[in-house]
Amino acid sequence: MAMRFCILGSGSAGNAALLVTGGARVLVDAGFSAKKLAALLAAAGESLEKIDAVFLTHEHGDHAAGIDGLKKFPHIRVFANAATARAVQAGLSWRADWQFFETGARFRYRDLEVESFSVPHDAQEPVGFRFSTGHDGDLIAPRRSLAFLTDLGHAPQNVRERIRECEVVVVEANHCPELLKADMKRPWSTKQRIGGRHGHLSNHAASELLAEVASPHWRRVYLTHLSRDCNSADAVDRAFARVRATLTACEFAVVGPGEGTPFYELE
Ligand SMILES: [Zn+2]
Ligand SMILES: [Zn+2]
């Protein structure tokens, strides 16, 4: 098996995912307390002791709140660009084992090839990731890739190119524009921010992105970071019905707010 992947939790209350290859066990974001992360990992048969590293997309609490609690697990390396690391470190009670990367650079970590790319979101220097393992043409360990794309207001061309050659795509389907507009809890300015060019992808924007790229490589697409108040299972079903019907070889997993997923094994 080339990689195993699961979402530990998704939504504005916290985001974290786990990627396991033959040589590495990494978290993508750590937006839960260490206690909660430990419980989520235990439910997946894993533990913080076995985690090698965390890759941070950006400093928002729903992605980075768990770093402070990792004090008790100093073996865990924390990969981020300098701007994100600076923003997270400012709120920590200890000095994390930062491993800096430059946004856009490609680097190796154990048996992973990691590529970060900038995304438009209202944080210091937010990124998406592409993780690959294996080699082209290798029958035993073929190259497999996973793209991770949450927290972006729109999808520029660089993002579209990064998700094309992947078997697994994690993309946010944050809100339904009508439900966001009707929401009474959020002030107008917050709603403008969420729906803006540096906010979050709506169901419609995410389904358009998938329909436009529509890669034959895709085996599984995760729809994540759903808003509890401004989205619904019905709205997601409606918005993605057409693209799901065209991408027949690809499975879709809709990850509800606060939910995780079982492991997906990619051969
Ligand atoms: Zn964010
Ligand atoms: Zn977020």
Side-chain angles (χ1 to χ4, degrees):
M1 172 224 340
M3 37 169 91
R4 297 200 298 149
F5 175 76
C6 72
I7 307 264
L8 295 170
S10 161
S12 52
N15 296 276
L18 172 64
L19 175 64
V20 181
T21 58
R25 260 186 171 69
V26 305
L27 294 178
V28 186
D29 286 333
F32 297 99
S33 69
K35 200 176 157 190
K36 172 97 183 180
L37 273 175
L40 292 167
L41 283 166
E46 299 284 333
S47 69
L48 280 169
E49 284 80 2
K50 291 200 281 180
I51 297 296
D52 302 309
V54 180
F55 287 81
L56 290 179
T57 57
H58 64 301
E59 72 276 16
H60 288 164
D62 59 322
H63 297 262
I67 303 297
D68 198 42
L70 295 184
K71 195 179 188 169
K72 290 176 221 130
F73 304 90
H75 71 280
I76 299 179
R77 295 177 164 190
V78 187
F79 285 83
N81 58 41
T84 300
R86 207 175 302 125
V88 174
Q89 181 60 47
L92 299 187
S93 58
W94 65 299
R95 168 114 192 143
D97 183 6
W98 293 109
Q99 306 287 316
F100 299 111
F101 61 76
E102 299 234 353
T103 300
R106 199 180 283 205
F107 58 97
R108 286 202 77 82
Y109 173 65
R110 300 194 173 196
D111 62 348
L112 286 173
E113 184 184 296
V114 185
E115 210 181 327
S116 66
F117 48 95
S118 69
V119 293
H121 186 58
D122 56 355
Q124 293 294 328
E125 195 179 321
V127 299
F129 287 111
R130 183 161 69 178
F131 298 96
S132 305
T133 193
H135 303 279
D136 280 330
D138 187 330
L139 293 177
I140 309 291
R143 186 177 166 86
R144 298 286 182 241
S145 302
L146 174 147
F148 203 93
L149 187 62
T150 68
D151 297 64
L152 69 167
H154 63 282
Q157 197 54 36
N158 73 318
V159 165
R160 290 164 196 259
E161 272 144 33
R162 282 343 196 285
I163 64 172
R164 189 165 286 131
E165 314 250 307
C166 290
E167 283 74 30
V168 181
V169 178
V170 180
V171 64
E172 81 169 334
N174 180 256
H175 59 276
C176 160
E178 288 86 59
L179 292 175
L180 178 66
K181 203 171 160 195
D183 179 64
M184 303 295 277
K185 283 191 198 164
R186 291 162 179 78
W188 183 83
S189 58
T190 306
K191 298 206 267 184
Q192 284 292 107
R193 187 188 79 73
I194 294 169
R197 298 277 290 166
H198 289 78
H200 290 274
L201 284 189
S202 68
N203 295 339
H204 179 70
S207 76
E208 263 198 347
L209 168 66
L210 296 178
E212 197 188 309
V213 180
S215 170
H217 296 280
W218 294 345
R219 295 195 196 165
R220 173 170 275 232
V221 169
Y222 290 87
L223 303 176
T224 65
H225 214 310
L226 271 63
S227 165
R228 194 177 288 280
D229 300 323
C230 305
N231 211 345
S232 69
D234 274 357
V236 170
D237 281 348
R238 264 182 279 122
F240 288 88
R242 193 185 298 184
V243 69
R244 288 178 77 151
T246 55
L247 292 169
T248 47
C250 175
E251 295 175 304
F252 276 73
V254 181
V255 189
E259 289 177 6
T261 67
F263 268 115
Y264 174 68
E265 311 211 338
L266 185 60
E267 297 293 322

